[in-house]
Amino acid sequence: ARVREEPFTLALVELTDLGKLNRRDGLESGDAALVAAAHVITHAADQVEGSACRYSGARLALLIPAADSTSEAVLTLLRDQLEALDGQPRCAATAWRPDEEGHDVLARAREALRAEAQRDRV
């Protein structure tokens, strides 16, 4: 983004109950929850020519090549569609800021995801 001077938004989605779902209903159920979440995220990526991927075990990522009302609309739609899925998905997003490196944006997105988890526990 710094080289091209084009902002982006990074969203992380975590299936917070994936382990519980795997233990209770089997690994196939957990896999199905991941696939369902991946479909939602991939569809959102397709809407804005973004990129979707599996970030880690229970986390998926969406890179949106914008940091404006378009990205906000996609994030709202993403959150709405994730609510209906198994695995209790949680979503947090952050936009790139000038003079930031990619790892800075990722760190802020992970921190936003942790903050969402804290709010859920309260």
Side-chain angles (χ1 to χ4, degrees):
R2 188 172 6 156
V3 171
R4 296 173 64 188
E5 296 184 3
E6 294 176 8
F8 65 91
T9 301
L10 174 64
L12 291 179
V13 174
E14 180 177 30
L15 277 70
T16 59
D17 280 353
L18 186 61
K20 180 180 174 182
L21 190 61
N22 282 336
R23 288 186 299 279
R24 187 186 70 213
D25 300 331
L27 296 177
E28 295 81 17
S29 184
D31 287 348
L34 279 168
V35 168
H39 281 297
V40 169
I41 292 168
T42 300
H43 178 72
D46 290 345
Q47 300 303 307
V48 292
E49 297 181 9
S51 298
C53 70
R54 188 170 185 183
Y55 174 66
S56 66
R59 288 184 180 167
L60 304 163
L62 171 61
L63 186 63
I64 302 169
D68 55 15
S69 59
T70 300
S71 60
E72 288 300 319
V74 169
L75 291 169
T76 298
L77 180 64
L78 178 66
R79 287 181 175 114
D80 289 347
Q81 291 178 348
L82 288 169
E83 282 183 16
L85 302 181
D86 287 337
Q88 194 173 2
R90 176 181 301 127
C91 181
T94 188
W96 170 81
R97 298 175 187 159
D99 298 322
E100 273 190 322
E101 299 287 332
H103 60 87
D104 298 322
V105 180
L106 181 57
R108 283 192 300 108
R110 288 194 321 246
E111 182 55 39
L113 202 54
R114 280 191 287 277
E116 287 288 323
Q118 292 290 33
R119 280 192 285 276
D120 288 349
R121 289 185 191 127
V122 174

